[in-house]
Structures are given as structure tokens and as C-alpha cells.
Amino acid sequence: MYATDSRGHSPAFLQTQNGNSHRSPGYVPGKVVPLRPPPPPKSQASAKFTSIRQEAQAAFAFSPEEQQTQRASRKQKRHKNTFICFAITSFSFFVALAVILGISSKYAPDENCPDQNPHLRNWDPGQDPAKQVVIKEGDMFRLTSDVTVNSIVIENGGLLVFGDDKDGSRNITLRTRYILIQDGGALHIGAEKCRYKSKATIALYGKSDEGESMPTFGKKFIGVEAGGTLELHGAQKTSWTLLTKTLNTSGLPFGSYTFEKDFSRGLNVRVIDQDTAKILENVKFDTHEYQNESRRLEEFLRVQDPGRIVAIAVGDSAVKSLLQGTIQMIQERLGSKLIQGLGYRQAWALVGVIDGGSTSCNESVRNYENHSSGGKALAQREFYTVDGQKFSVTAYSEWIEGVSLSGFRVEPVDGVKLHLLDDVSSWKPGDQIVVASTDYSMYQAEEFTLLPCPECNRFQVKVKETPQFLHMGEIIDGVDMRAEVGILTRNIVIHGEMEDSCYAENQCQFFDYDTFGGHIMIRKNFTAVHLSYVELKHMGQQQLGSFSRCITVHGTNGLLIKDTIGFDTLGHCFFLEDGIEQRNTLFHNLGLLTKPGTLLPTDRNNSMCINMRDKVFGNYVPVPATDCMAVSTFWIAHPNNHLIDNAAAGSQDAGIWYLFHKEPTGESSGLQFLEKPELTPLGIFYNNRAHSSFKAGLFIDKGVKTTNSSAADPREYLCLDNSARFRPHQDADPEKPRVAAVIDRLIAFKNNDYGAWVRGGDIIVQNSAFADNGIGLTFASDGSFPSDEGSSQEVSESLFVGESRNYGFQGGQNKYFGIGGIDQKPRTLPRNRTFPIRGFQIYDGPIHLTRSTFKKYVPTPDRYSSAVGFLMKNTWQITPRNNISLVKFGPHVSLNVFFGKPGPWFEDCELDGDKNSIFHDIDGSVTGYKDTYVGRMDNYLIRHPSCVNVTEWNAVVCSGTYAQVYVQTWNTQNLSMTITRDEYPSHPMVLRGINQRAAFPQYQPVIMLEKGYTIHWNGPAPRTTFLYLVNFNKNDWIRVGLCYPSNTSFQVTFGFLQRQSGSLSKVEEYEPVNSLEELQRKQSERKFYFDSSTGLLFLYLKAKSHRDGHSYCSSQGCERVKIVASTDSKDVSNCMAKAYPQYYRKPSVVKRMPSMLTRLCQGCGTHQVVFTSDPHKSYLPVQFQSPSKAETQRGDPSIISVNGTDFPFRSAGVLILLVDACSVPFRLTERKLFLLADSSRMEEYLKTSIPPRSIVLLSTRGEIKRLNISDSLIPLGLAKPAHLYNKGSTIFLGFSGNFKPSWTKLFTSPAGQGLGVLEEFIPLQLDDYGCPRAGSIRRRDLELLKQASKAL
């Protein structure tokens, strides 16, 4: 039985499948160390002492001599050795593929079955907790029974092998405080070519505060010293897969039902749909007091459709006014035999089927005596839904000590069936599985126990427990939201025996459970260690810096981690730690329920961050949001690693986090980077998914602090740091061309804050999908001007969904629930009900959004929701080079763009970035106006008279050309700048500046070119001012007038700033002229004019050189004007009153406003309809439009759409489409319309005329009183005949063939109602359809895995 902790959770780590067991002669294994010591001090002696002292505490450690040798070796070999840290999970830890910790063949075990070695002797040392066993040379033992000893040492050629049986019938448990394997000793449980079949358990017992510790290894361990061999090979199992049918809460389509009430007098009645177990009617009839109530019940039963399930329970009493006609109706329609003689206050319950006769009726009666009925009158019957789920309906009535109780239950019985994507025939009854959350809260992940299921096919299992939450098993709105399902059970188990609660020095201030588990320690120069399909549970020790993590990789290059599950863990799960690890491949791994831990600042949550202050300097109090709170399922500290087919299915902070170290940390401290990580090109990122995390699905940004805490920087070593910026270049050389980092096929959904936050450039996100995130995708530039040379960020061929049909489920720490904007249905929400949802968020730029589609962004009275939005409360720069093209907005997008308005979340919208928000609509696909710019409606720096206001967006659409002026002043803290366009002096823009309290404030307004502006201040004019031309092309110009006191003198110079060196070239002096007219004539020359009457210093900013690509500056450098002003005045320099109307100019149009486009954009939007985690498979999009009776009368058509091709029909009847399941994209084989008069022929058609391998799509129109096709739908996928009486609409998806796929479905609606729009995605060309092989299927993921392996 799979053990759980006191909280009901069983954290698990599953390790890889299909391991590589090749043994390389001369391979030097690395070390495994979970602790991260601070960087060594400058003193060599001190450094050595620090390293030795820290490593002595580690879970996997070395002697001082070995440490010194190893460190020297690593410096020489540049981390070509491999060392891996299994810093194990909070409670359990599973190993599923051999991770080769070292192979140097000194001991060669039998290639077949080790337990069949003829030299072995059976060994049974019995149960003696004091016995210290030494297995030495000549001792070759086969363990055949349970054992308890104090300790086991295997050395000098000694061998211990667990016995096995061919039928797997053995169950052996070895209990010991520790096992030490050294000097030629070996422990074997199975072998790679003869996997262990029985159940083997090694239980490590003992408390942290009892007994002696072994040198280096400590307590409660399995240790492998030099020369030791550890071979553990369990039975192979499919590691994890996806649901293919939604697992509803309780396992029933509409959930389970429970009701109980006291003194509910009369007959309490429930009507249940026999096909779905849905409660259709909930009625009470007071037949004790009122005869009219009896008549109402009689009529109620008379109109019920045949086949309906009816449950009745007496509350208090029901017979005083119960009429004979009603009694007869209950007898005739429900088959009751007990209703006729029912007496006063008798408890009676019935479950029956309308017109099902007495054989379908189950009822019970109890007499009322002495205020009690002596037990329940309980009636119960079992049924099946059309999907094949078994359920029971229970009614009961009773008296208990004078209190009348009645109630009902509708619940699944005999387990709940799960439908899965992959073959899981290797999963067995009794195994534990986990199903991931598909909602905002990762705590909706659930564990289940498998039941025997002889009726299940190889893609199905049955679970014992009742699901508490909703787990999606569908592609929804084109996005794959199918829940991950992982197997947690292995037949080889190593576990620590645990206490009931935390004790001693085991971080009990943060954990109420025992964290002193077992641990495995592998030391340098071991002979061989292979672990495959092994379960490690309750392992790790907080004292040793473990009881956390899934896999930790230190200084390792070229490692493959494959088919690994990390479940319910503390701290970063898949952890590439030191910032020096490269070329490692993580392939098809699953991490879920990644919780905060204590080891590193980045592991910690708010309370841990604030309270763990022993490593900060002085009285510094950590700031959780900036120092900590970064725990991630995949923590990748160097970009040159490969992530393929992974799933991050729930983390406290981030699913996948790429960060960039300034220097190596932890065990790699003191080494030097040959290439800076932040300049290194990204490895392969393909087909990964991230959901149910609070901060972000994918996060690319930041680094960690790589210095010790000090007075200068009191923060803790390895806390989160904001200094790194990802800017990949060829060969990691900033002088060479940029290399775009490609994020290919990311699926991010149900993340509270961001689907993805990506900082840096050049970066491309493509073929990706974002759904139900607070914000789908945000790009942030790799820095600020002028240190950032300008880079590009692009998203293409991607899908954004605001509020999908995944409505979520309240509970499991989901905090927010409200009404959706599309259909006004209740749903879970990100952040809270007022949070403004955005699909693509523009921060600074430049960004390029192209060939992408947006769906379902509809505001509610509580919140805004827009396809494109902007970072709220933005102090930062923003560039007009942001551009959007070829985008498509679905019919349920109310706000294509939204610039924010004062109110919740946006506050006053008065920060510099808020005011200057802008993007270029290249082709008019956003606004309908080609080659226009979209800015905030109150921004008059970018306007002209022909601009078009879009009030709903708070936007203005203008033609023109735009750039930025970067204004920097010296020693002017808290100085605001006002910039005014000469054409709109009544609409100035006030800028607070970036870093307003800094010594060098920065202002960066977006301006329309070929216009005049004046600049003013709310204090004394700056003595030194720099004006940079940002995003100016050659000959672009503006005129500026800067306000100064009238007695000011100036020195004005021009030069090209060289960004890399900081030097200035081609410096020229400006000369004064005597009038503005002269300045205008000489605008290409270096001239300025000071109008002392107004206090305005005029000059032209005109670009002299070409600008390349996305660079902010010209190819010659950043064109800069420096103004040094000399004055003794301290007056406020605001010249607005004198400048205008003198310098007012009538607004004019420089570039004519285009006409509005009249045709829909051709080729806009993503060409992909569906984004799945199995992109090598083809899915057929099918959509049904099923109008209601009123909509039908209005003339709305009924439509079946197949792959975008519509098949409408307006006549009452049934449309059937047959599609070949083996053809891609699709082949329609028949279209058949049965009118109402012909519906009788339909049943014969469905039974005899459907070709094999056909997808059957059926939709009705008009009210058909009885659709006689129920029996004919069973061979096409239904589990039983469906109730098709008096339906408003019926839709059916079926398959003709020997295989019953999980996607077959039946939808019905009550009379008069339609089903609206239904969308399904049907897989094509499955082997189980019987499709002929058309050749091998291209697997891009496997090609990339092979490519990554070749590069090792």
C-alpha cells in the first residue's frame, strides 16, 4: 500500500525510463552534493576550510583529500565529469530510468538474472535490531525473507542479491539503519536484462537524535563508497500520459449529489437523468396536509418521460392527504408495492424507473414506534450512464429520537474509469497514480489507487477513490488542456521510516511533519550505480540540505533526464544549480505540486523568506517579492540546455524558469565562465507545457546574487537578483551577431499571473498557445537605453484565449470565483474578479506580434479583458517600433486593445510608460487602418487632426512617423519634465522620469517626427542635460525648445556615444544664431538659438547616420546632444506662459490618414487550429451550431463544421456526416439528411450503412418527440441505449469500428433549447482505428532528442 503523510499527500519523485546502461571504460564519476556553500573567501586557506566544512555536512560527500583532488580536476576538465544530486522530495521519490551516476567496470555481475547465480547461498539473518552484519569476501548471499538488522556493510567482494520468482510472488522487506557498500562489495535487486518481478523494500529506520553517525554518511542511508556497486532494476512501466476524456468531480458528468433534511414533511421527490445521473427535478409534495399537493404529485408523475429515474423519500409523514389516484400513479408508473399500505409517520423510500415496472423498483418501509423507526428505510438501485460509468441512486427516510430525516445520494460505484492517451497496460491494480490539476490551483492534483478492471482496454484504468476536482481531458478552444496522469508505484521501494510529527532540529518551525528520512549517498570512484524503475519514498534530510528537490544537477554537462516525475516536492524540482551546467537534456519529464522549501532564498515563500535571516547581514529584512518567492518546477541556470516534451503542472511560483548567473555558484564557485550565460544561445526548447502555477508558466529573467552578504549588500547569498539580462550572441560574443532564442511550442494555461514572462532579445516565441492566464505573454526588453543596443522579440503562429470552456472548479485553494465574460457562467479566475485579463502584454519593446489569433476576450462589469494590453503602472520606456501585423480577432473579442483607465489595478494611469504606450499596426489587422500607430487617447504628442479616436479602447489611431527622445539630466532628483507639442499647447505631457530619486533621472517621450516641441521643468532647469536620438532614421528630425532662465549661457556639443566602450566620437560644438528663422534655414548644421524673452533654447535634433535593424541608435553610435547651462538662477523653469501662443502652430497632417479597410484580412491569424502536446498527431476540428427553438424560428441555421468547412441545414430533421478517420486533413465520405418524415429509416441506415473506420457526426434540428436510434448508437460508441424523448437538440459523435475511442459523445438539450456552439477535436489516423500504415510518422521531438544527444 502506498503510504501517505498526515496531510493526505504522498510526495513523489519519479526518475527516468529507458535508461542507457553503456559502461565507458575509464569513466570518472562525479560527486553528488545537494548543499550550496557560499562563494569561498579570497584566502586560499579559508576557502579550503569552508569547502571542506560544508561538504562534510552534505548528503553526498568526500574526504578533504578527495575534495581537493576533485576541485583541481574539475577546473582542468571544465566540468566534463558528471555529478548529479538526488536531493530528494519532501516525502517520496521515484526512480524510473537508469540515471548513470558512474560506470567503471570493476565488478561484472551476471548479465541475466543475478538471483540465479549458482554461487549464491540463501540468507536469513532473522529479526535482530542489534545485529551488525558484514558481508565480505566469499559471502555471496541471496535474501529470501524479511530481515531486520542494525546495519549492513558489504565489502571486499561480498555480494547481496534479493531473491525473485518468475511469477513475482515474493515480498521481501529489509529493515536496517544503514547499508554501506565499498571496496568491491555489491548489492543487486534485478538487472537491466532481467528486471525484478517481485516486491522488494528497503526500509531505513532511526531518528536524527538517536545513535551514532557514520563518518561522511551520517544516519539512515544507503552509501556507496569507492569500489562499490549498486544495481536496482524494477519492472518497467509507462511513466506518464494524458487524460483523453474529462474526469469530472465525483466521476459523473454533473457531479455527485447529496441531500439530507429534517422534518421535510410529505413526499420528497428527485428525478434523475438515466443517461447522465443529473438531477432534473427537486420537488417536495406535502401530501400529509394538502390534497392539492397529492394531485400535483399525480400530475407530476404522469408527464415524466419513460425511463426516468425517480427517487422518493418520506419526511415526517406523507399519508394523511395522499389520494388514491396518486397512489395508483405511483404503483403504475414506478411499480411500488408498499405505497398502498403506508401509514402515519412510517419511513418509506423508493427508487424506481418510470414505466419500468416492479422489477425496476426498490423500496423500503420502517414502522414508527416510540419516536423512532428503528433504522433507515433505504432504497437503492444502480445504473449506467451512456459513457459507461456505473452509479447508484439512494433514497432514505428514518426517525431518530423524534427527529425525522430524509435524504438522497447519487454517486459513482465500483470505481471511476479514466481514459488515457498512451498504453498503460503496465499499470496494475493497487498501483498509485496522480492526476494533475488543470485549474489555477496546483493543489487540485489528486492521487488515486487503481482497481481491477477486466473491461478496460489498454488505454483505460479504473480508480478506487472519488475525484474531488475537475480534471480536463480535452483540447479546449484549440489548446491542449488534458491533465497529466503519472504512475507513482514501483516494485522496488526504498523508504525512510518516519515519525508522526516533526521533532528535534528538523526545521519544525516550517514543517509539522518529520523531515528526517532516508538518503542515498554515492561517493567518488564507485564501480557502478544504476537505478531504474525504483521508488524512493520518505527520503532526504533537512539537516543535510535535502528532503527537497527532484533531481539536482551540479556542474554536469551532457546528462539525459528522461521520463521523470517529481511530485509534491519542496523547493526547485528539476534543478540545474550552479549556472555552469550545459548540454543537459530534459526529455518528457513531469513535475507537479512544487512547494516552497527552505534550502535557498529562491525556494522560500513569504514567511520563510522573512523569518530565515541567519545568513543576511545585520538587521536586513529580506523582501519576499524580490529576494525569494521563485520556486520552480524546472530551474535552468544556464541557457545552453535542452527542454523537450516536458510538463510543469503546478508550482508555487514558476513552471519553467531560466535565469542567468554572473559567475558559477555553489559547488562550482571559484571557476570562471568561458562564456557568459546571458550571452549564450538558448538550447532546444520544444513542445513543453506549463500550467497551474501562481507566478508564471515560463519565466525568462533575472539571476541570483553571487556574493556573500555584506554591509554594501546585506542580502543573502543566492537570493534572487535583477542584474542579469539574456542577450544571446553567436559564440556568446557581444561583438558578433545576435542569435535568436527560439521558444517553439509552449502551451501555457491556467497560470495566475503570466502564461510566460520573457525578458531579453533576440527571442522568438512560435507555434505556442496561451489560455486562461492572467496575462498570456509579456515581453520585456533586455535592458534600458543606452546600455541596451536594441533587440527584437517576436511571437508568431500562436493562439491566445482569454476565457476558455475550461470553467475550473472551486476548491483546492482556488481563491477567486466569478462570472465569465463570454457566456456569464461561473468560473475560477486568475488573481481576483477585478483583475484585467490580457492576452499579449506590451511592456517596452520593440516587439513584433504577427500571424496570431485571439479568442474570447470579453469584459465584465467587474473587469476589463483585452486581446492586447500594456503593462500597468509602467514607469519604463516604450518604443514606437512595437509592431503588430497579420493578427486575427475571434467573434468573442470585445476589446482588441485596451490602454487602461484610472481605477483598480491601473491606479491613476499617470506614469511615464502608461502615457507613452504605443504600437504600429502595420497592415491594419488591429484597427482597420493600414500603417497607423495606436496610442493612448490623451497623448497629444502623437496626434494630428485626422486621427481616429476609439473610445472603448481608450485609444487614438494616427498616421505618421514616430521616434523617441531620451532625455537625461544630472543631479536633479524629483524633477518632473513637461513636454508640449507646439500644435497642442493645451495638452502637455508631464513625465515623472524613470528612477525619479536617482541622481540621473531619465525621460523618454514618444514623439511625432517633423514637429516642434518645448520642454519645461517643475524646478530649476538642469545644469547638464543629454538628448539622445532613439529610433531616428537618417534625416529624421524634430525641433526642441528647452526652458532656461533668461540669463543662462550654454555650451552645446554633439557626438556619437559608443555603447561598448562608453567613449565619444566625432564631437562637434554647436554655435549660436540670432533668430529662429536663421536656425530653421540651417537646421542641418550644428546651431542653436536662445530666445531670452521666452527662456527657450531652440535646436534641431536631426539624425545624420543610418540605423540598422532593431538598434536604438545609428550604425555610427548613439547620436547625442549635451547641453551645459550656466546660470545663478534657482527659479522654476517653466516657460509655458511665455512660449504660447507665440510658438503655437496650427495642427497639420504630415502623413495622410489611410481609409478604413473594407475587407477582412486575408491570411491573418495563426494557420494552426489546434495546439497539442502530441504535435505529431493530426486532430480534426469539428464544430456544431445547434440553435434553440426561438433561434430556429428566427431562421438561424444548424451547422456542422468540419475543419473549417460548413455544412448547414435549415430543414427539420437529422444531418449525418461520415468522415474517413484515416484521411488527413479530412475526407467526407457521405452527407445524409433525414427529414422528419424519413427519420424512421435512419436507424436502419446507422446499423447497416456506416463503413468501417468512419467518424459519425450527427445533429438534429427541430423538436423530434422520439428519436428511435438509441440501439443503433451503441455500436458507434455509447455504452447503453440513450433516452432520446422530447429533446430540443441532439448531437452525437461516434466511430464505426472494433475500437471504441474516448472521444465518442452524446449531447442533448431539453425541449425548446439548443446546445449552442460545441467544439471537439478528433484524432485521426490512430493505429487502433485500423488505418493502413502510410509510412513512418515524423516525430520532431525524437529528432531533436537525437540532435541533442549527438551534440554531447
Side-chain angles (χ1 to χ4, degrees), residues 634-651:
F634 293 86
W635 180 266
I636 312 299
H638 195 290
N640 187 22
N641 290 286
H642 311 300
L643 271 69
I644 305 170
D645 289 356
N646 299 289
S651 172

Side-chain angles (χ1 to χ4, degrees), residues 171-467:
N171 188 342
I172 301 174
T173 297
L174 168 59
R175 295 182 69 249
T176 181
R177 292 183 181 272
Y178 67 84
I179 300 173
L180 177 61
I181 310 166
Q182 60 187 8
D183 298 332
L187 170 61
H188 288 262
I189 306 178
E192 185 181 6
K193 294 185 179 180
C194 180
R195 296 193 170 275
Y196 196 74
K197 302 178 184 64
S198 302
K199 180 70 179 288
T201 301
I202 297 177
L204 300 170
Y205 67 88
K207 297 175 65 175
S208 63
D209 56 356
E210 67 180 20
E212 296 295 323
S213 291
M214 290 291 290
T216 302
F217 294 96
K219 304 173 183 177
K220 210 169 174 179
F221 65 86
I222 296 176
V224 183
E225 280 270 23
T229 294
L230 177 64
E231 295 282 353
L232 309 178
H233 298 273
Q236 291 182 326
K237 291 177 180 285
T238 298
S239 176
W240 64 277
T241 182
L242 300 174
L243 281 178
T244 56
K245 196 179 192 74
T246 294
L247 178 61
N248 294 286
T249 175
S250 84
L252 296 172
F254 295 93
S256 58
Y257 176 80
T258 301
F259 175 88
E260 183 176 272
K261 189 168 175 48
D262 58 357
F263 294 111
S264 183
R265 191 176 64 191
L267 292 177
N268 298 281
V269 180
R270 301 294 182 269
V271 179
I272 300 103
D273 182 6
Q274 66 270 42
D275 292 342
T276 63
K278 180 182 181 181
I279 302 295
L280 301 176
E281 301 278 359
N282 176 348
V283 194
K284 187 187 77 163
F285 301 91
D286 188 354
T287 55
H288 174 81
E289 189 69 22
Y290 306 105
Q291 292 186 359
N292 279 341
E293 286 288 277
S294 181
R295 295 185 186 97
R296 189 167 69 91
L297 173 57
E298 181 179 352
E299 178 61 18
F300 177 83
L301 293 174
R302 187 185 68 79
V303 299
Q304 294 300 318
D305 291 336
R308 291 293 190 212
I309 303 168
V310 176
I312 305 177
V314 169
D316 194 349
S317 184
V319 298
K320 177 182 172 183
S321 300
L322 186 63
L323 301 176
Q324 187 61 36
T326 307
I327 293 173
Q328 290 177 351
M329 182 64 71
I330 294 173
Q331 291 173 326
E332 292 170 3
R333 298 220 71 184
L334 293 175
S336 172
K337 294 181 179 179
L338 301 177
I339 185 64
Q340 181 66 60
L342 190 63
Y344 174 69
R345 286 192 169 178
Q346 278 189 317
W348 173 68
L350 173 145
V351 175
V353 176
I354 294 291
D355 296 343
S358 59
T359 57
S360 71
C361 175
N362 182 265
E363 58 184 331
S364 174
V365 67
R366 289 275 184 167
N367 292 326
Y368 175 77
E369 295 178 4
N370 298 322
H371 306 291
S372 176
S373 57
K376 286 183 179 179
L378 187 144
Q380 186 178 75
R381 277 211 59 198
E382 294 178 348
F383 305 90
Y384 286 90
T385 67
V386 290
D387 292 331
Q389 177 61 52
K390 191 176 182 182
F391 68 97
S392 66
V393 176
T394 303
Y396 61 89
S397 172
E398 67 177 325
W399 283 87
I400 302 176
E401 296 180 354
V403 177
S404 169
L405 291 176
S406 58
F408 303 92
R409 290 194 306 272
V410 179
E411 57 195 352
V413 293
D414 295 340
V416 176
K417 191 178 290 186
L418 275 58
H419 301 258
L420 304 170
L421 181 65
D422 295 300
D423 182 347
V424 291
S425 54
S426 59
W427 299 4
K428 304 302 180 185
D431 285 353
Q432 294 288 123
I433 64 169
V434 60
V435 181
S437 168
T438 52
D439 207 346
Y440 293 108
S441 172
M442 66 177 180
Y443 291 97
Q444 289 190 9
E446 296 188 76
E447 294 175 65
F448 299 98
T449 306
L450 298 189
L451 292 172
C453 185
E455 73 274 18
C456 287
N457 63 34
R458 60 195 178 101
F459 302 102
Q460 298 171 333
V461 293
K462 186 182 285 186
V463 298
K464 176 183 178 181
E465 296 79 9
T466 300

Side-chain angles (χ1 to χ4, degrees), residues 679-681 727-739 789:
L679 297 176
T680 304
R727 48 189 193 280
H729 286 73
Q730 180 181 326
D731 299 326
D733 185 346
E735 298 297 327
K736 291 184 178 181
R738 286 181 178 259
V739 177
E789 71 234 40

Side-chain angles (χ1 to χ4, degrees), residues 1245-1313:
Y1245 171 80
L1246 290 170
K1247 286 182 177 179
T1248 62
S1249 301
I1250 309 296
R1253 301 190 297 273
S1254 291
I1255 296 169
V1256 180
L1257 307 175
L1258 180 153
S1259 180
T1260 67
R1261 181 178 177 84
E1263 294 192 6
I1264 303 174
K1265 294 297 182 182
R1266 183 170 182 177
L1267 195 59
N1268 295 317
I1269 60 171
S1270 294
D1271 290 336
S1272 59
L1273 297 184
I1274 293 176
L1276 301 176
L1278 292 191
K1280 70 165 197 176
H1283 175 270
L1284 298 177
Y1285 291 81
N1286 298 323
K1287 299 297 183 184
S1289 296
T1290 299
I1291 287 174
F1292 175 69
L1293 296 88
F1295 176 76
S1296 175
N1298 295 325
F1299 178 66
K1300 286 195 174 183
S1302 60
W1303 50 261
T1304 58
K1305 292 180 181 178
L1306 175 71
F1307 302 93
T1308 62
S1309 65
Q1313 299 180 24

Side-chain angles (χ1 to χ4, degrees), residues 11-42:
F13 166 77
L14 281 122
Q15 222 270 94
T16 54
Q17 287 184 2
N18 305 326
N20 176 6
S21 63
H22 173 69
R23 301 180 178 184
S24 303
Y27 181 88
V28 180
K31 59 182 176 181
V32 188
V33 185
L35 286 181
R36 291 136 303 278
K42 298 298 182 182

